Amino acid sequence: MSRSLERSVKFVRPGRYIMNMLIFLLVVGAIIYYLSPWSPQPTNLLIDSFNANPALNSLILGVLAVGIIYNLRQAGVIAPAVRWVEAFRESVDPARSRLPRAPSLINAMSKLLLDADTRAGRLSPESSRAILDSIGTRMDEGREMGRYLMNLLVFLGLLGTFWGLLETVNAVGATISGLANTTGAAEDAVAQLIKNLEQPLSGMGTAFSSSLFGLGGSLVVGFLDLQAGQSQNRFYTDLEDWLAGMTETVRNGGKDGSSYSTDGDLADAINALESALAANTDMQIKAQAGQTSELKDEIRALNRTLIRVGGGE
């Protein structure tokens, strides 16, 4: 194949995807700041929600932080891979001694490309397929962790919801039992009721606050996972186009074990197949013509026989 496709492919760095992620995080930070006591319109909404169940909400925020860092890293690992590929393309040293160490994402590809230098820089279709499969598998493994963190945030939010509802149900039951046992003035009963309602309201605070942090965190991690996936898919597509310009169909067929191209053999095989099809078609036409001639002779003989039989009668 020509190297024009190989040279025309320009790898896109993940910088713009990381920038989208950072801008999204800044928007989320602005919303959090607006809902904080330090905003121009102070409010304790988020602080009160967090204090409803500090232990569970701290766990949710910790998972959110891990998800943010992990997805930023998933997008960032593309940059070293792109730099290595560009260094490989620009290298003029046949020994490739000045190439940087290949990152783990393309470690298998680097070995196959360096091995292909012994064949004038060409790859077999099997090697190209192995490279793409290896990189695709490693990318998918990384995305599975990001999806797990996103689902974990949803799970923790729902866990807090049912936890808070359970506390509410138990507290309401205890409140009703306390009212049944209350004796004295009506004012004392109302005061006791108000005091006993603090526990059910605390349970509802746990339910709604965990849902708020869990679902909000899953939204953030989901967007970051989307951007990281797009950056990896773009690198995979550029790499596939680049490898297409370096792949050549070769086979070992010489007696001395040397390799040679099958482009000419493929053309000869196609020509031979066309000739065989044409010859087969001619044979079928001639056979059908012979069968038609024999059928006409049989029809004429049958007509003569019928005429004789009719004349005899």
Side-chain angles (χ1 to χ4, degrees):
M1 288 186 179
S2 174
R3 290 183 178 268
S4 58
L5 177 60
E6 173 192 348
R7 296 298 181 184
S8 63
V9 176
K10 182 178 180 181
F11 285 83
V12 177
R13 294 180 179 269
R16 66 178 184 180
Y17 299 101
I18 295 178
M19 182 60 65
N20 293 338
M21 299 164 75
L22 295 178
I23 292 175
F24 180 79
L25 291 176
L26 288 176
V27 173
V28 173
I31 296 175
I32 294 175
Y33 173 76
Y34 182 78
L35 297 176
S36 68
W38 303 279
S39 66
Q41 297 179 353
T43 176
N44 293 324
L45 175 62
L46 293 180
I47 294 179
D48 293 340
S49 299
F50 178 82
N51 292 331
N53 194 328
L56 181 59
N57 292 331
S58 296
L59 178 60
I60 293 175
L61 294 179
V63 174
L64 173 61
V66 172
I68 292 173
I69 296 173
Y70 184 82
N71 282 288
L72 287 173
R73 178 183 175 278
Q74 283 297 105
V77 296
I78 302 299
V82 172
R83 287 196 297 267
W84 191 93
V85 173
E86 291 178 347
F88 181 86
R89 295 172 64 179
E90 298 172 358
S91 177
V92 295
D93 182 13
R96 310 288 185 180
S97 58
R98 297 184 179 180
L99 284 178
R101 183 178 180 181
S104 59
L105 180 63
I106 59 172
N107 187 35
M109 182 187 75
S110 64
K111 295 178 180 179
L112 291 174
L113 288 177
L114 294 176
D115 181 68
D117 282 346
T118 59
R119 298 187 300 273
R122 290 301 184 182
L123 291 170
S124 64
E126 294 79 9
S127 298
S128 298
R129 189 70 263 166
I131 289 173
L132 295 175
D133 290 343
S134 173
I135 295 177
T137 301
R138 297 186 183 189
M139 288 181 176
D140 291 338
E141 290 176 353
R143 293 177 187 174
E144 289 176 0
M145 183 62 181
R147 297 189 185 102
Y148 173 77
L149 292 174
M150 181 173 59
N151 294 330
L152 180 59
L153 287 171
V154 176
F155 167 76
L156 292 176
L158 294 176
L159 176 63
T161 299
F162 290 110
W163 183 358
L165 291 177
L166 182 61
E167 289 183 350
T168 301
V169 171
N170 293 334
V172 169
T175 300
I176 294 175
S177 299
L179 288 177
N181 299 326
T182 300
T183 58
E187 293 80 1
D188 296 335
V190 172
Q192 185 66 26
L193 174 62
I194 294 174
K195 182 179 180 181
N196 292 338
L197 284 177
E198 294 179 358
Q199 187 65 25
L201 293 177
S202 176
M204 293 301 296
T206 299
F208 289 115
S209 65
S210 61
S211 298
L212 173 65
F213 288 111
L215 297 179
S218 66
L219 174 64
V220 174
V221 174
F223 180 82
L224 299 183
D225 179 73
L226 175 64
Q227 293 297 314
Q230 288 180 349
S231 66
Q232 293 181 353
N233 290 335
R234 182 56 187 267
F235 173 72
Y236 185 89
T237 302
D238 293 340
L239 184 64
E240 187 176 18
D241 294 340
W242 178 59
L243 291 178
M246 298 182 62
T247 303
E248 184 177 38
T249 304
V250 296
R251 66 181 176 91
N252 294 328
K255 295 182 179 180
D256 57 350
S258 60
S259 299
Y260 55 88
S261 174
T262 61
D263 292 342
D265 294 339
L266 182 61
D268 295 339
I270 293 175
N271 293 331
L273 180 61
E274 291 178 351
S275 301
L277 291 175
N280 187 31
T281 302
D282 292 339
M283 291 177 59
Q284 290 181 354
I285 292 175
K286 292 179 180 179
Q288 290 178 357
Q291 292 176 357
T292 303
S293 178
E294 292 177 358
L295 182 61
K296 289 181 180 179
D297 294 338
E298 292 178 358
I299 293 174
R300 292 194 187 97
L302 180 62
N303 289 334
R304 288 195 294 269
T305 301
L306 293 174
I307 292 172
R308 292 194 192 97
V309 173
E313 292 180 355

